[in-house]
Amino acid sequence: MLRSDFPPSFAFGLATAAYQIEGSVSADGRGDSIWDTFARRPGAIADGQTGEIADDHYRRMSDDVALLAELGVDAYRFSISWPRLQADGTGPVNPRGLDFYRRLAEELLDRGITPWVTLYHWDLPQALEDAGGWLDRDTARRFAEYAGLAADGLGDIVTNWITLNEPWCSAFLGYASGVHAPGRTEGSHAARAAHHLLLAHGLAVPVLREKVPDASVGVTLNLYSVRPDGDQPAAVDAARRIDGLSNRLFLDPVLTGSYPLDVLDDLGEAEWFARNASAADLASIAAPLDFLGVNYYSRHTVAPGVVETEASAYPGSASVEFVTTGAPRTQMGWEVVPEGLIDVLEMASARAPGLPLVVTENGSAFEDVVSSDGVVHDSERLEYLRDHLAACANAIARGLPLTGYFGWSLIDNFEWAWGYSRRFGLVHVDYETQQRTLKDSGSWLKAFLHERDSSVSGD
Ligand code: FCB
């Protein structure tokens, strides 16, 4: 597989997110986000770690842009920390916070790398959480205002905009299982958070279009290939439920303007949605897009099981069991199934034929070992990357309108509740010294992008 097997306009990039890499959490007037608060809660994050320093990217930004240039990517997806632009989630823009992202975008452009901005990668200003967070409809209006400030500040140099990253995680890990910030366990009411997140997206789209000439606007969903373990009706129903909660609850409103009623019934939320998710809301949520961002990591195989006692990320369907199939797994326990990427692209395309699709994240954590030569010979991550890029080539050959691929992630970083114990980077970070070192996977990508013989032998 060669880079030249892909269409010339295909964008190869890498992705990161603000809280996972930036550090400098109180610099230049930044306010607390829900992740700052959550990370201070005892037991919330592995080893009590936080994003306070992370990769110190806020201060090493130029070096990290130089790394991207060395790798030879076309594009870089980063997120804006909302509380850097608005410490409390309201009011005028904080010019010092904005300036960081302007410099980042300018440095990228100087090096021929196209910036892709994500507006919301999970760091809600804490003040908005205190006022109800995503369970409060007003947060959606606040988000549209924030989107306007970001567009005013960057719209002359940034054309690619992603409103939300993975609203499923924000809603169901944040408000149902509580393993992500803000760490609430509100059961099925998490679906209300999902509605307000989607409304936030829908309200932001016209704002971005109005303020950014030639804007290319999308939203990023985390989609899973879901299949039943066997063909028994109970397994098939388990698959319907998990596909419903993970995929259809988001794809259907965004791409077809309606919620899946079976999923609302499973959740026991049909009545709330009938009263609160108006036709006008759905028209907003289904605002025409320029692309759909798809984050793909793994496949779920499901069967009926026993009801979990802990708060479930799948309220109303907590008795579903996630089965391991014997496929290779990453350190996260996620099964490695490259062909599942094609399933999810097909799933999206079936609802919006012709809509450009972009893989906005895909990657893997493995237990990295720094060898005596100072390098991480991460053959499993390299294979994961290569095989998923091959799946992309395959998807294009099948006629799917896939126009870009962003690997997760440029550098090792703060992996949410897992802290620094899970490394997804193509570049290794020594958290003591902040030294960055290309892993074999990074060298492979670099050779692939420069279209050299990309057999990495560890030299
Ligand atoms: C995704 C997140 C990203 C990263 C990867 C591993 O769900 O969007 O920030 O944590 O998983």
Side-chain angles (χ1 to χ4, degrees):
M1 180 187 50
L2 296 172
R3 179 183 187 152
S4 53
D5 296 337
F6 287 79
S9 61
F10 192 86
F12 290 97
L14 291 169
T16 62
Y19 189 70
Q20 295 181 276
I21 64 166
E22 288 177 355
S24 300
V25 291
S26 47
D28 298 330
R30 178 186 180 277
D32 265 357
S33 80
I34 53 175
W35 274 95
D36 297 278
T37 316
F38 187 63
R40 290 197 283 263
R41 187 192 284 188
I45 313 286
D47 297 324
Q49 291 166 328
T50 75
E52 250 179 288
I53 298 173
D55 292 324
D56 195 26
H57 168 77
Y58 195 70
R59 299 191 303 162
R60 293 166 194 263
M61 179 269 280
S62 297
D63 295 347
D64 291 338
V65 172
L67 259 177
L68 286 160
E70 183 194 331
L71 286 162
V73 295
D74 305 308
Y76 173 54
R77 173 178 176 237
F78 60 91
S79 80
I80 296 180
S81 161
W82 184 347
R84 285 199 197 282
L85 262 53
Q86 293 179 301
D88 293 330
T90 53
V93 75
N94 168 7
R96 290 182 296 162
L98 175 65
D99 179 62
F100 171 73
Y101 298 106
R102 252 202 104 78
R103 284 188 288 115
L104 169 56
E106 279 165 357
E107 292 206 20
L108 289 167
L109 290 166
D110 285 348
R111 292 185 179 267
I113 301 168
T114 306
W116 286 57
V117 165
T118 303
L119 284 166
Y120 188 71
H121 203 124
W122 307 353
D123 39 6
L124 186 72
Q126 180 61 41
L128 295 186
E129 175 56 35
D130 295 342
W134 288 112
L135 286 179
D136 184 357
R137 184 182 173 91
D138 198 46
T139 303
R141 285 187 283 268
R142 297 276 82 80
F143 177 78
E145 274 176 34
Y146 153 65
L149 296 178
D152 282 337
L154 298 169
D156 57 330
I157 52 175
V158 174
T159 52
N160 297 287
W161 294 82
I162 294 166
T163 54
L164 308 177
N165 178 69
E166 302 190 349
W168 179 84
C169 293
S170 299
F172 289 99
L173 301 181
Y175 293 86
S177 71
V179 302
H180 278 189
R184 292 171 63 177
T185 47
E186 309 282 347
S188 287
H189 288 188
R192 304 177 186 182
H195 177 63
H196 296 143
L197 280 149
L198 291 172
L199 182 62
H201 155 74
L203 296 177
V205 173
V207 175
L208 293 167
R209 292 208 188 288
E210 185 205 315
K211 292 179 184 276
V212 182
D214 306 323
S216 178
V217 183
V219 60
T220 280
L221 304 179
N222 51 318
L223 302 179
Y224 296 87
S225 171
V226 181
R227 49 172 209 169
D229 182 30
D231 53 11
Q232 292 298 312
V236 172
D237 189 60
R240 176 193 64 74
R241 287 166 176 272
I242 299 307
D243 170 52
L245 277 168
S246 322
N247 300 320
R248 290 184 289 122
L249 185 61
F250 297 88
L251 278 173
D252 286 2
V254 168
L255 298 180
T256 71
S258 65
Y259 279 110
L261 297 178
D262 63 312
V263 180
L264 302 184
D265 280 340
D266 293 342
L267 285 159
E269 285 293 290
E271 204 188 310
W272 186 90
F273 273 72
R275 272 189 286 112
N276 295 281
S278 66
D281 283 4
L282 278 151
S284 295
I285 292 169
L289 298 179
D290 300 296
F291 65 92
L292 180 76
V294 174
N295 289 358
Y296 174 77
Y297 287 92
S298 190
R299 178 172 71 188
H300 292 324
T301 304
V302 294
V306 288
V307 182
E308 283 183 28
T309 46
E310 283 168 31
S312 172
Y314 300 92
S317 295
S319 63
V320 171
E321 189 183 324
F322 291 75
V323 177
T324 52
T325 68
R329 289 191 283 161
T330 70
Q331 195 190 359
M332 301 295 284
W334 301 345
E335 293 195 344
V336 180
V337 187
E339 58 277 17
L341 175 56
I342 300 175
D343 296 344
V344 299
L345 295 174
E346 277 174 346
M347 196 189 288
S349 221
R351 289 169 173 79
L355 178 68
L357 304 172
V358 178
V359 174
T360 40
E361 277 179 39
N362 170 248
S364 56
F366 289 102
E367 258 172 280
D368 288 340
V369 178
V370 183
S371 302
S372 50
D373 58 0
V375 178
V376 175
H377 300 297
D378 59 339
S379 52
E380 290 162 301
R381 187 178 294 102
L382 190 161
E383 273 170 39
Y384 183 102
L385 171 64
R386 192 196 53 206
D387 293 351
H388 285 79
L389 278 172
C392 289
N394 219 325
I396 295 169
R398 292 194 195 191
L400 285 160
L402 181 65
T403 60
Y405 172 94
F406 290 80
W408 183 270
S409 177
L410 168 64
I411 44 182
D412 293 335
N413 58 50
F414 177 79
E415 178 49 33
W416 309 113
W418 294 97
Y420 298 95
S421 68
R422 296 292 182 276
R423 292 174 178 269
F424 279 87
L426 302 197
V427 175
H428 177 267
V429 175
D430 177 332
Y431 291 113
E432 298 291 313
T433 62
Q434 290 295 342
Q435 194 188 322
R436 278 81 160 132
T437 312
L438 224 53
K439 300 179 192 176
D440 278 358
S441 55
S443 301
W444 181 87
L445 182 68
K446 179 177 168 183
F448 171 81
L449 293 175
H450 291 89
E451 200 145 333
R452 288 196 304 268
D453 173 14
S454 47
S455 54
V456 173
S457 54
D459 47 351

